[in-house]
Amino acid sequence: MNVSSVPAPGNGTAVATAVADPGVRIRPPVVDACSLVYDDAGWRAYLNRLGENAPEYLDVFSASFCRYFGASHTAYRDALAARRQDAIDVLLAPDRPPFDLAGHLADRERQGVTGEFAMGSAERLPDGRTVNEWLLETVRDVRDRIHVWAGISLRDPAAALRELERSLAAGATGLCVIPFLDGTDPADPRFAPVWDAAAAARLPVWLHTGHHFARSHPSGLGSWRTVEALAGRHRELLLVAGHAGWPDVQEMLLTAARHPGVFLEFSSHRPRHMTKPGSGWEPLLHHARGMARDRVLFGTSTWVNPGPTGPLADELAALPLPADVVAAWLSGNAEALVARAAGTHRG
């Protein structure tokens, strides 16, 4: 199927609309529910956090990192074999152009992206600010397009709660938690005050779920069982299961069916592979017209599949799905989540 990269007019729930050629349809707008918006200092903080807590990622995804940053794979691999910082220096070369917010937004517009959930972190930058603070300040005037989901670490429950409160006061509209980087179980009762605060403020939480490569931490951190436990104890909490809990997609989908505040987001997985036998995505496609229709969000993870967002959205639009499902997954459900989160006064 030939799908145009031009976004359809109206909101994200509008179905793809036929144009002059009946074989062509306009792709609906896109909301990227897992986006990374950093300058080089932010990227360095991100890569160092991976290297310190899950160094396997710098190895397993070496090709993806090099494609995204436009670096030599051979130079990166040689540097990584010697010292992590040298490898990061290869990616973040001194002659890289500085981050340009206007250029970023223009590219988003070209790709048909009308909004994105930008994931932050509590890591400190050289100037003393956290990545969350830098992100909130940088996008202050465009928060209708870039929604900041502040990153928090669960290693220290009290610190996590303080970061949540600071970020909320500064304008964050969601949270981001990556259990395998913290080595903690989000369902541990010690973190209940964090989830209660998020629920009270109607801050959706993007939670890394499913498979990860950190060999020093168990694979069960952030499983569908984690989501089930959190959703059961904190009934008002809005949870976005990052990467949809793959490979346990069916279990995560059934969890969402039981809890109205649970959504699935499939960033880092390419839609074009979903129809392949054994992909693990069969349950999502099987239930697309039913319980999955209003619970699935589109995301990219930015660097995992380097390249423009538009072609990834086109891959989703090319799947054997009804036009209304494609529109809901690309943006309609994300827009509904934003509206739902904003429906309660934050205090």
Side-chain angles (χ1 to χ4, degrees), residues 105-122:
L105 292 172
D107 176 72
R108 300 294 82 195
E109 186 172 351
R110 285 192 296 271
Q111 304 302 320
V113 178
T114 58
E116 56 193 306
F117 302 163
M119 305 299 167
S121 84

Side-chain angles (χ1 to χ4, degrees), residues 6-322:
V6 180
N11 63 31
T13 60
V15 299
T17 306
V19 290
D21 181 349
V24 178
R25 64 183 188 180
I26 299 175
R27 171 171 42 75
V30 174
V31 173
D32 185 347
C34 183
S35 172
L36 300 178
V37 180
Y38 301 142
D39 64 359
D40 275 13
W43 277 116
R44 190 171 292 276
Y46 176 88
L47 293 166
N48 274 323
R49 188 183 181 200
L50 277 179
E52 291 167 3
N53 300 286
E56 297 83 3
Y57 275 76
L58 299 183
D59 178 23
V60 172
F61 289 101
S62 62
S64 293
F65 281 127
C66 290
R67 284 196 299 270
Y68 179 76
F69 289 104
S72 163
H73 192 217
T74 299
Y76 174 84
R77 297 294 308 178
D78 290 345
L80 187 62
R83 197 171 72 105
R84 183 179 76 239
Q85 285 302 325
D86 292 342
I88 293 175
D89 288 342
V90 171
L91 298 179
L92 301 173
D95 58 349
R96 274 174 49 83
F99 174 73
D100 175 16
L101 179 60
H104 173 82
L105 292 172
D107 176 72
R108 300 294 82 195
E109 186 172 351
R110 285 192 296 271
Q111 304 302 320
V113 178
T114 58
E116 56 193 306
F117 302 163
M119 305 299 167
S121 84
E123 300 297 301
R124 291 282 173 185
L125 299 171
D127 64 8
R129 291 180 296 175
T130 65
V131 174
N132 291 330
E133 289 172 321
W134 176 87
L135 188 54
L136 285 160
E137 292 168 12
T138 299
V139 307
R140 180 185 291 112
D141 297 330
V142 291
R143 290 182 188 168
D144 58 329
R145 295 178 62 179
I146 301 179
H147 305 264
V148 176
W149 287 32
I152 60 174
S153 169
L154 294 182
R155 289 182 172 175
D156 181 338
L161 187 56
R162 289 194 299 269
E163 187 66 23
L164 182 158
E165 292 169 345
R166 280 195 298 265
S167 298
L168 174 62
T173 54
L175 298 174
C176 168
V177 177
I178 306 177
F180 74 82
L181 290 180
D182 296 333
T184 55
D185 178 5
D188 189 309
R190 291 182 301 140
F191 306 122
V194 176
W195 308 130
D196 287 340
R202 303 299 286 169
L203 286 173
V205 179
W206 185 95
L207 182 71
H208 185 286
T209 64
H211 179 69
H212 67 77
F213 291 95
R215 293 193 295 269
S216 58
H217 300 306
S219 60
L221 292 179
S223 72
W224 66 269
R225 291 181 176 85
T226 304
V227 175
E228 171 68 37
L230 291 176
R233 295 175 197 163
H234 308 276
R235 298 298 180 89
E236 300 303 314
L237 184 62
L238 298 172
L239 283 166
V240 177
H243 315 320
W246 186 92
D248 299 323
V249 177
Q250 177 164 286
E251 289 80 0
M252 191 65 79
L253 187 57
L254 291 173
T255 298
R258 285 166 41 79
H259 300 286
V262 173
F263 296 79
L264 282 68
E265 179 274 319
F266 56 78
S267 63
S268 83
H269 295 269
R270 298 200 68 151
R272 72 182 185 188
H273 299 313
M274 289 182 172
T275 57
K276 296 180 179 179
S279 72
W281 295 100
E282 295 91 341
L284 196 71
L285 300 180
H286 178 75
H287 294 287
R289 296 164 179 80
M291 60 182 174
R293 185 203 180 279
D294 299 322
R295 299 298 189 86
V296 176
L297 311 178
F298 172 87
T300 65
S301 292
T302 300
W303 59 266
V304 179
N305 295 304
T309 301
L312 289 176
D314 288 342
E315 289 181 12
L316 176 62
L319 293 176
L321 297 170

